[in-house]
Amino acid sequence: MINEKTKELMAAVASGADIYNYGDAKILRQLEKENPEMVDIVEARMYTGDGTAQVPYFGAILTDEGRAAIAL
């Protein structure tokens, strides 16, 4: 069962996003562990810095199954 916080986060990364927040990163890693068919964890795509500013943990994007799970 997917809780509301996870659904909100899934909606936020439906089209892909870099993940900077540790709490969000933990939730998405747990989702990937329990339901790997719903989310793809990839390298951060939008970060262009030199490493002196905050660096994203990773990028995430929902799969078709993930979108269906939250009815997008």
Side-chain angles (χ1 to χ4, degrees):
M1 184 75 176
I2 300 171
N3 66 34
E4 285 303 312
K5 172 66 177 161
T6 302
K7 286 181 183 180
E8 290 173 12
L9 186 54
M10 289 172 71
V13 302
S15 297
D18 289 348
I19 306 303
Y20 288 86
N21 180 282
Y22 179 72
D24 292 347
K26 283 179 56 174
I27 291 169
L28 288 167
R29 285 290 186 192
Q30 188 66 31
L31 178 65
E32 178 192 37
K33 181 179 178 182
E34 295 174 0
N35 303 95
E37 71 281 357
M38 290 189 182
V39 64
D40 287 330
I41 303 293
V42 296
E43 284 189 37
R45 304 288 172 120
M46 299 304 295
Y47 180 74
T48 58
D50 61 2
T52 58
Q54 184 178 9
V55 178
Y57 290 97
F58 51 78
I61 188 167
L62 286 189
T63 63
D64 291 337
E65 290 86 357
R67 284 187 200 88
I70 60 170
L72 287 180

